[in-house]
């Protein structure tokens, strides 16, 4: 990797972009709807900052490369690699007590600092994407321009639409989503450039272009799946003068509800990134380290997100809440909630939406959704149920004594909000999670290629080899 850090400024100049990319950016420039004022683009800003960042990492490794950053126990090896320090992830860091910080900023700080849509209350995901890639809070103009650029790149190839149309309606929405994202490999600038032969120093530029194209197309792809499986199959076109969250809400069929549009903006921001060790983030990074395109890398991450222990958790929470509601009816007393929680635990089941591999307090992402609900739907019966569970569950789980974190995570609330606004199809929720997660994992993929990150290859041992390593006789 050290040699890959010797990137000259000339290698970072936009003049090296391939002609098709230049043409596409020219078309974007002509399509700007918010303002004709000149502002620095995201790609220009990243390229400008890159030499300094490369030098910073180079210096760190040169001076401290032999320093030990942690120890590994046998329990960690067999316990899902929990707590092992072995990944570089620039966009976010998760503290067990404080929760997630995006480039050093908490969720409340992001809600305050990131630009909002005119009349909107929640931050725009475009601003978060800029923050994750550059470490800087963008200006309103930069965010508006990024909205326009994504809208200009949003056209989905006809064969992708036909591919989705051919999927059986009972194929899980996440399987359809992963399939469509994989098929977008046909459009990959990185794959085509690599096949022709390009300098390693240019990898990040093509990765950037693919990531921007992919993100731009995800709302239409995701909405096509939703409308096919649950509605009439008709998807509204992207409105070129609107932001990303609005277009996703509108294409799903809920654009007329201002509060749902703002919920989508919040949802996309808070579900985007949660360090690099979770399954979807790590998988995207791992597959990308083999120089697979952003399309193939994200598709792999989506397949991880589809697992019951990862992205399907919000669906499981909602099912559990509905079962509770059916059992206790309108009795939301502390005793009724306590009894139901114990019945779940005594049946050998977990309380879905509670606990986290890293966090040891209430997930700030849960708190942001709770505050949204308190403003927008304080009298909703399901929100009242969620609030009562939040009041009682930590005490019960602490008494039960088998969880390190008795507090709710992000999945404990999101389904109830979506249900309230009419998006009741729980099997679809993970697709929304996938759209959001792309906004978090793709910035790191661009950074990986810019930094010349090597293919990931940790060392493995058999149980017998580990026993020998620790001096045990089996």
């Amino acid at each position: 990797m050290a040699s890959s850090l010797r990137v000259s400024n000339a290698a970072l100049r936009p003049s090296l972009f391939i002609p098709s990319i230049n043409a596409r950016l020219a078309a974007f420039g002509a399509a700007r709807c918010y303002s004709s004022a000149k502002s620095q683009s995201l790609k220009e800003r990243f390229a400008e900052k890159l030499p300094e960042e490369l030098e910073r990492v180079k210096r760190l490794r040169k001076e401290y490369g032999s320093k030990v950053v942690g120890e590994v126990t046998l329990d960690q090896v067999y316990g899902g690699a929990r707590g092992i320090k072995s990944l570089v992830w620039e966009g976010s860091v998760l503290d067990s007590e404080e929760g997630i910080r995006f480039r050093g900023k908490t969720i409340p700080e992001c809600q305050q600092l990131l630009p909002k849509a005119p009349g909107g209350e929640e931050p725009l995901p475009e601003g978060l994407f800029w923050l994750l890639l550059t470490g800087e809070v963008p200006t309103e103009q930069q965010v508006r321009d990024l909205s326009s650029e994504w809208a200009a790149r949003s056209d989905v190839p006809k064969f992708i639409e036909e591919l989705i149309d051919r999927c059986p309606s009972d194929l899980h929405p996440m399987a359809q989503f992963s399939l469509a994202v994989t098929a977008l490999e046909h459009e990959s600038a990185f794959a085509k450039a690599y096949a022709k032969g390009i300098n390693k120093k240019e990898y990040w530029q093509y990765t950037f272009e693919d990531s921007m194209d992919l993100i731009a197309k995800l709302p239409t792809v995701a909405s096509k799946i939703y409308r096919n499986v649950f509605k009439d199959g008709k998807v509204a076109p992207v409105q070129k003068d609107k932001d990303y969250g609005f277009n996703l809400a509108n294409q799903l069929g809920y654009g007329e509800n201002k509060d749902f549009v703002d919920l989508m903006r919040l949802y996309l921001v808070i579900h985007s990134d949660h360090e690099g060790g979770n399954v979807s983030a790590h998988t995207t990074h791992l597959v990308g380290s083999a120089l697979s395109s952003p399309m193939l890398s994200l598709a792999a991450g989506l397949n991880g997100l589809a697992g019951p222990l990862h992205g399907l958790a919000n669906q499981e929470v909602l099912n559990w809440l509905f079962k509770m509601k059916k059992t206790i009816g309108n009795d939301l007393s502390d005793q009724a909630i306590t009894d139901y929680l114990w019945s779940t635990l005594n049946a050998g089941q977990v309380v879905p939406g509670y606990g986290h591999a890293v966090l040891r307090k209430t997930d700030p992402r849960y708190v942001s959704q709770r505050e949204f609900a308190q403003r927008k739907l304080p009298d909703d019966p399901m929100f009242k149920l969620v609030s009562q569970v939040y009041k009682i569950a930590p005490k019960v789980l602490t008494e039960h004594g088998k969880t390190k974190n008795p507090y709710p995570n992000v999945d404990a609330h999101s389904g109830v909000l979506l249900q309230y606004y009419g998006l009741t199809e729980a099997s679809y929720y993970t697709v929304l999670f996938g759209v959001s997660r792309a906004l978090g994992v793709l910035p790191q993929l661009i950074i990986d290629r810019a930094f010349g990150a090597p293919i990931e290859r940790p060392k493995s041992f058999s149980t017998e080899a580990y026993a020998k390593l620790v001096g045990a006789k089996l």
Side-chain angles (χ1 to χ4, degrees), residues 350-414:
V350 300
V351 176
Y354 279 73
H356 192 273
V358 178
L359 280 170
R360 296 296 176 263
K361 59 168 285 186
T362 299
D363 191 335
R365 300 173 299 172
Y366 175 94
V367 174
S368 67
Q369 292 178 100
R370 176 172 171 79
E371 291 173 347
F372 183 96
Q374 287 173 325
R375 295 195 309 271
K376 305 294 185 180
L377 47 139
D379 298 322
D380 176 62
M382 289 301 292
F383 172 56
K384 289 183 177 180
L385 175 60
V386 167
S387 295
Q388 267 296 84
V389 174
Y390 180 38
K391 173 185 174 184
I392 304 299
K395 302 175 186 175
V396 171
L397 290 169
T398 299
E399 184 178 346
H400 187 243
K402 293 185 178 181
T403 177
K404 294 180 180 179
N405 174 24
Y407 301 105
N409 58 52
V410 67
D411 299 309
H413 215 307
S414 56

Side-chain angles (χ1 to χ4, degrees), residues 203-224:
Y203 284 173
W204 78 264
Q205 299 175 21
Y206 296 94
T207 301
F208 180 93
E209 293 300 328
D210 275 0
S211 297
M212 293 285 279
D213 281 345
L214 181 53
I215 287 170
K217 291 170 173 52
L218 291 182
T220 301
V221 171
S223 298
K224 179 68 172 172

Side-chain angles (χ1 to χ4, degrees), residues 341-358:
L341 285 164
W342 277 113
S343 71
T344 297
L345 295 170
N346 290 334
Q349 301 170 0
V350 300
V351 176
Y354 279 73
H356 192 273
V358 178

